Amino acid sequence: MANKGPSYGMSREVQSKIEKKYDEELEERLVEWIIVQCGADVGRPDRGRLGFQILSKLVNSLYPDGSKPVKVPENPPSMVFKQMEQVAQFLKAAEDYGVTKTDMFQTVDLFEGKDLAAVQRTLMALGSLAVTKNDGYYRGDPNWFMKKAQEHKREFTESQLQEGKHVIGLQMGSNRGASQAGMTGYGRPRQIIS
């Protein structure tokens, strides 16, 4: 982590709110998924912080063998910019996989531990996409993640479309029985002054 002193005042309040969003139980479930998805040989990530190597292996495990998007070095990089570069590669691969920009964390959120709840959101979105794709690369309990809604395209024939033009929808109401019979003017008639 980068060297940073304690925060006070408004900065402390903001950081406190961010830290409250972090879910300990969700962390356990995500760690279990990572171990099942990547294999037990990846080891158990440190509490509260996922290793950069593990994230790279996680996203690579969701792709077929010939097309791994993140290059994982043999030895973990020791230089800070190389570690941050590896996190950025994970984020790019997750975006290419289908995770939306709004579900992505920033590199500093993980690297400096600023917003680990955002990291959890990204991993939840990645897991949900993997379950939804159902392409055989997801390993683990499918109930750990919610399936994303999928498009259900419908095809109509030309005759079905023509029939639909003659139906009055119930939302539009009905004018059956409506008339102006019995209507009388209320109030004074309109005065036109010239």
Side-chain angles (χ1 to χ4, degrees), residues 13-151:
E13 284 181 39
V14 170
Q15 188 60 36
S16 176
K17 285 183 179 183
I18 290 172
E19 289 170 1
K20 286 179 183 175
K21 292 180 182 179
Y22 189 77
D23 186 351
E24 299 284 333
E25 292 175 18
L26 180 58
E27 177 185 357
E28 284 300 314
R29 185 170 30 146
L30 290 171
V31 167
E32 290 303 316
W33 175 53
I34 290 170
I35 291 171
V36 170
Q37 185 70 34
C38 298
D41 60 319
V42 296
R44 192 166 195 82
D46 295 336
R47 188 150 184 76
R49 184 175 164 139
L50 297 169
F52 315 121
Q53 298 281 100
I54 292 176
L55 289 179
S56 299
K57 289 178 182 176
L58 174 66
V59 77
N60 280 347
S61 71
L62 297 172
Y63 283 88
D65 284 336
S67 64
K68 304 292 184 193
V70 180
K71 184 178 178 187
V72 181
E74 289 285 325
N75 299 323
S78 58
M79 295 190 310
V80 172
F81 77 93
K82 286 288 190 185
Q83 293 173 348
M84 291 180 82
E85 185 178 286
Q86 195 163 6
V87 173
Q89 287 178 11
F90 162 78
L91 292 170
K92 173 77 172 103
E95 185 179 354
D96 292 346
Y97 191 73
V99 177
T100 60
K101 284 260 191 206
T102 55
D103 287 333
M104 297 291 235
F105 66 89
Q106 301 295 315
T107 303
V108 294
D109 292 338
L110 173 63
F111 193 78
E112 295 181 3
K114 289 190 181 240
D115 189 0
L116 293 174
V119 177
Q120 287 181 331
R121 280 192 308 274
T122 301
L123 293 176
M124 286 298 293
L126 185 64
S128 293
L129 276 170
V131 168
T132 303
K133 284 188 177 185
N134 197 19
D135 57 5
Y137 296 108
Y138 174 81
R139 290 184 286 281
D141 186 355
N143 296 323
W144 286 344
F145 301 101
M146 292 191 318
K147 271 189 158 184
K148 298 234 181 225
Q150 295 177 311
E151 181 181 48

